[in-house]
Amino acid sequence: MKLTVLGCSGSIPGPDSPASGYLVEAGDTRIVLDLGNGTLGMLQRFADPFLLDALLLSHLHPDHCADVGALTVMRRYHPAPPYEPTQRRLPVLAPPEAPDRLAALYAPSAAERAETDLSDVYEFRELPVAPVRIGSFEVRAIPMTHVCPTWGFRVTAGDKVLAYTGDTGPCAEVAELARDADVLLSEASWADFPEAPAGLHLSGRQAAETAREAGARRLLLTHLQPWTEGRAVLDEARACFEPAELVQAGHTYTV
């Protein structure tokens, strides 16, 4: 399994990275986990956006889904797609309100929002509780703790497991997500501090404690906010768990 980081900046795009987005490949199957601000540009370096097998959205904050608007433009209006776009809608596994919310993102005006329909481009599916098969992958969506409905994804190909937290605060479910994973791709929005808001994000220390207690084999830290000191996040994570590293946009990691 290959993991390519399309963007790893938390909350907003940063000077060195788009927001959240991850291309995951195994065999001939390509899926994308989240498609935040700026990630569509990076995706085009590594894969044809027309040939994805599915897009999975952990939640509908802009730093995780804003480039769906740009992808809609590409899939509708590209002059020479590899097939007729209406012949192959992209499966999008997302929170239940995704069709309406993403239509509002794309709509040219508030007056036309109700008439905007993305079903010619996407096949929307509500995030399931049961695992789903997508080509070479089995994907299980697990609800996380955040300020809106949010899921983490446990992606299995053969005997390898990638666990992606999306956005979450500390909770029992994130440990379930990470259980015995080969790679835990975990948000670590900031260095630990006593006044951190409850149920919002993980610190580097909390991500590392989750990896250690869940028996994960490797920790990749992502979603650092641009104003966060990365060295501090990494140091506190490594004090609890090894191997741990900060991901970088445009880099590929083997699971």
Side-chain angles (χ1 to χ4, degrees):
M1 193 187 318
K2 285 198 311 184
L3 164 69
T4 300
V5 177
L6 307 176
C8 52
S9 183
S11 299
I12 62 170
D16 301 313
S17 174
S20 293
Y22 309 92
L23 171 67
V24 187
E25 302 172 87
D28 296 327
T29 307
R30 297 178 180 87
I31 63 174
V32 167
L33 310 179
D34 288 336
L35 198 67
N37 323 55
T39 52
L40 180 60
M42 185 72 78
L43 174 62
Q44 292 171 74
R45 297 187 190 180
F46 298 97
D48 185 339
F50 282 97
L51 301 181
L52 299 177
D53 292 284
L55 169 63
L56 290 80
L57 300 177
S58 64
H59 64 296
L60 298 178
H61 282 163
D63 61 319
H64 292 258
C65 72
D67 267 22
V68 174
L71 182 62
T72 304
V73 173
M74 184 179 197
R75 292 181 70 91
R76 274 186 171 168
Y77 299 115
H78 193 292
Y83 55 83
E84 285 297 323
T86 56
Q87 295 177 359
R88 188 172 187 268
R89 297 184 300 158
L90 177 66
V92 177
L93 282 69
E97 67 270 27
D100 291 338
R101 291 276 301 279
L102 296 174
L105 171 69
Y106 184 77
S109 70
E112 295 173 272
R113 173 178 175 177
E115 300 174 7
T116 299
D117 182 2
L118 305 182
S119 62
D120 62 313
V121 178
Y122 305 118
E123 178 190 340
F124 286 105
R125 306 175 187 172
E126 291 187 15
L127 283 171
V129 175
V132 295
R133 172 62 62 176
I134 306 170
S136 301
F137 296 114
E138 183 178 86
V139 181
R140 181 182 173 204
I142 299 176
M144 297 287 105
T145 296
H146 196 44
V147 294
C148 66
T150 307
W151 284 261
F153 298 119
R154 189 173 169 92
V155 182
T156 302
D159 61 352
K160 300 299 182 183
V161 176
L162 167 68
Y164 168 52
T165 63
D167 283 5
T168 187
C171 59
E173 289 79 8
V174 75
E176 177 187 356
L177 177 85
R179 185 72 58 205
D180 298 323
D182 293 282
V183 171
L184 173 60
L185 176 64
S186 177
E187 75 123 285
S189 296
W190 45 53
D192 205 50
F193 64 103
E195 301 82 15
L200 185 60
H201 291 298
L202 299 175
S203 67
R205 178 186 64 80
Q206 290 167 330
E209 288 176 346
T210 296
R212 182 186 65 204
E213 293 165 8
R217 295 171 182 81
R218 184 182 181 192
L219 175 62
L220 298 180
L221 299 169
T222 189
H223 200 268
L224 275 70
Q225 296 166 328
W227 47 83
T228 294
E229 173 52 55
R231 187 76 241 180
V233 172
L234 183 59
D235 285 348
E236 70 180 26
R238 285 179 170 171
C240 296
F241 181 88
E242 285 279 14
E245 59 188 294
L246 301 178
V247 300
Q248 297 183 54
H251 286 219
T252 296
Y253 303 83
T254 300
V255 178

